[in-house]
Amino acid sequence: VQLVESGGGLVQPGGSLRLSCAASGFTFTSFYMSWFRQAPGEERELVATISGAGFGTAYVDSVKGRFTISRDNDKNLVTLELNSLKPEDTAVYYCNALKNGQPVWDSWGQGTQVTVSS
C-alpha cells in the first residue's frame, strides 16, 4: 500500500489550497477514503470522508462549508479542496482508507504540510 499526499503550502488566512492523495496497492473503489490532519502537539483528527463510489461525504464540524472532498476512481486519486482557510487549519494532512471509523492502513504517507499564516 502506498499513499502519497501533495499540494500543501503556506497560505494567508482566507486563502485556498487543493490537496491530492495518490493511492496504490489496494482495490481503491472498495474503500471509503478519508483525509486526516495532525497539528503540532495534538492527536491526528479525521477531517473528511468520501464513500467508495463518491456519492457520500462527511466532514468534521470545524471544516463544514469550507472543505470539499472528492475522488477520481479511474486515477486512484482523492482530493481535498480547502477554502476560507483559518490559522487553526494549520497541520500536516494525510489520507487513508477508512473502515468502521478507523484508518485501515498502518503505513501512512509522508503527509503534506498546510500552514495558514499572515
Side-chain angles (χ1 to χ4, degrees), residues 11-17 66 82-89 115-118:
V11 63
Q12 292 186 344
S16 299
L17 285 172
R66 300 189 298 119
L82 289 66
N83 296 308
S84 302
L85 281 161
K86 305 175 181 180
E88 51 264 43
D89 295 318
T115 302
V116 185
S117 174
S118 55

Side-chain angles (χ1 to χ4, degrees), residues 83-99:
N83 296 308
S84 302
L85 281 161
K86 305 175 181 180
E88 51 264 43
D89 295 318
T90 295
V92 180
Y93 284 71
Y94 303 87
C95 66
N96 205 324
L98 193 77
K99 186 174 183 180

Side-chain angles (χ1 to χ4, degrees), residues 28-45:
F28 186 69
T29 54
S30 295
F31 289 89
Y32 282 52
M33 290 297 296
S34 293
W35 282 94
F36 298 77
R37 66 185 179 187
Q38 187 167 22
E42 305 210 4
E43 293 188 356
R44 192 167 289 169
E45 174 188 37

Side-chain angles (χ1 to χ4, degrees), residues 5-83:
E5 300 91 352
S6 62
L10 172 63
V11 63
Q12 292 186 344
S16 299
L17 285 172
R18 181 184 176 94
L19 308 183
S20 294
C21 168
S24 60
F26 61 99
T27 306
F28 186 69
T29 54
S30 295
F31 289 89
Y32 282 52
M33 290 297 296
S34 293
W35 282 94
F36 298 77
R37 66 185 179 187
Q38 187 167 22
E42 305 210 4
E43 293 188 356
R44 192 167 289 169
E45 174 188 37
L46 175 61
V47 174
T49 299
I50 188 165
S51 63
F55 298 128
T57 58
Y59 301 89
V60 67
D61 284 347
S62 59
V63 309
K64 282 180 181 177
R66 300 189 298 119
F67 290 9
T68 303
I69 189 171
S70 60
R71 66 191 294 162
D72 184 336
N73 284 344
D74 290 333
K75 298 180 180 178
N76 282 17
L77 201 65
V78 60
T79 300
L80 188 67
E81 297 270 2
L82 289 66
N83 296 308

